[in-house]
Amino acid sequence: MKGHVVVIAPYAPMHGEPRVSAPQISQALGGRALAVLESRDDWHRVRGADEYEGWIHAGYLAPVAEPPREESILTSLGCHVRSAGGKRRHLPPGALLLPDDIVESGTALAPDALRRAHPRDPAAAARTAMKIFEGTPYLWGGVTPWGVDCSGLVQTAFLIHGIVLTRDAWQQAGAGEDAGDDPLALRPGDLLFFSDRADRRITHVGIAAGDRTMVHSALGRGGFAMEKLDDMEDLYVEKLRSRYVGARRVRA
């Protein structure tokens, strides 16, 4: 099968191989269109708008003749919907509603309203990350408030503000322009990058939130956390600072 599919579940787990026991490498948000690159039995290797590729089971997907025009679709900010056939779903922030979805509770915005409420502003994306992900546990490959990893938090927060970033932390390190070497002198919305490897390949990312703070999702914190980067009495912050590689300023 080649062509395009749309995610019909609230989100679809994306695996590194076409089997359910393979590690989850990401998640595709509900309503998002994906290009099908290859199919094996009930599995499709797909690529999203962020150019990320992985395997998703066909049960999460529906084929479409062409990708829907996202500028005419409601975006969930966390809502419960019901389809014309009566099926109910709880959509995470960033998911797109399907054409026959009816909002029963929560918030979903049309494109113009979404742009007004969530403009293309990295500083605003930092605030959105705090609002959406506070209290969220860490989950490798996660992009929702039900479980999120470091780069998934960054990607979803910026996506809601109309800024499409790549999926993994090392890829996001190529976004925007250099924001300097001092993690205490960054603007809200700047991305901070860290490495725990000898070759300094990026393994972690967070978002500067102002007043020398950073928001991120970290295994070492069990999920969402806000760090005071000048608190060197905190052993976790001290370790983070020792792993700091640099920062990038995303263009709005």
Side-chain angles (χ1 to χ4, degrees):
M1 172 183 172
K2 292 290 181 71
H4 292 87
V5 292
V6 166
V7 178
I8 56 174
Y11 68 86
M14 182 180 288
H15 299 267
E17 299 176 19
R19 51 188 176 86
V20 72
S21 60
Q24 174 179 266
I25 58 173
S26 188
Q27 295 168 338
L29 290 168
R32 297 284 172 176
L34 306 166
V36 178
L37 307 176
E38 178 185 358
S39 298
R40 295 185 195 173
D41 298 324
D42 291 330
W43 291 85
H44 301 306
R45 184 167 66 88
V46 297
R47 179 191 296 138
D50 59 0
E51 299 297 318
Y52 206 70
E53 298 179 9
W55 291 89
I56 296 178
H57 193 275
Y60 293 94
L61 307 170
V64 291
E66 58 183 31
R69 295 173 58 86
E70 293 184 2
E71 59 268 26
S72 63
I73 302 175
L74 297 179
T75 296
S76 167
L77 294 179
C79 65
H80 290 82
V81 300
R82 175 174 51 83
S83 70
K87 183 177 181 179
R88 288 181 166 84
R89 304 189 323 282
H90 182 188
L91 299 182
L96 301 177
L97 276 66
L98 299 177
D100 66 344
D101 282 336
I102 299 169
V103 178
E104 293 193 319
S105 63
T107 303
L109 297 180
D112 286 345
L114 183 67
R115 284 189 287 269
R116 289 193 298 270
H118 295 83
R120 290 177 61 90
D121 176 7
R127 295 190 292 271
T128 293
M130 289 185 275
K131 180 178 180 181
I132 289 177
F133 290 109
E134 184 176 9
T136 298
Y138 184 87
L139 176 66
W140 179 265
V143 300
T144 79
W146 304 317
V148 71
D149 64 17
C150 65
S151 54
L153 177 150
V154 171
Q155 188 184 51
T156 296
F158 276 77
L159 177 65
I160 289 170
H161 288 265
I163 302 171
V164 178
L165 296 178
T166 45
R167 177 61 180 88
D168 290 338
W170 68 269
Q171 297 170 318
Q172 293 171 359
E177 59 193 20
D178 181 37
D181 297 326
D182 185 356
L184 303 182
L186 299 175
R187 299 178 188 172
D190 288 346
L191 302 182
L192 297 87
F193 295 95
F194 306 84
S195 177
D196 58 3
R197 293 171 45 139
D199 63 4
R200 303 293 277 172
R201 179 182 169 92
I202 300 302
T203 57
H204 189 64
V205 60
I207 310 176
D211 195 26
R212 300 183 175 186
T213 63
M214 178 186 79
V215 295
H216 65 149
S217 180
L219 185 62
R221 293 297 201 193
F224 176 89
M226 176 177 282
E227 311 293 354
K228 289 287 292 182
L229 294 174
D230 57 356
D231 183 5
M232 296 305 286
E233 294 184 2
D234 185 321
L235 295 180
Y236 184 83
V237 171
E238 182 182 12
K239 181 167 64 175
L240 267 180
R241 290 282 299 274
S242 72
R243 295 174 173 177
Y244 179 71
V245 175
R248 305 292 291 182
R249 184 158 295 148
V250 177
R251 302 181 187 92

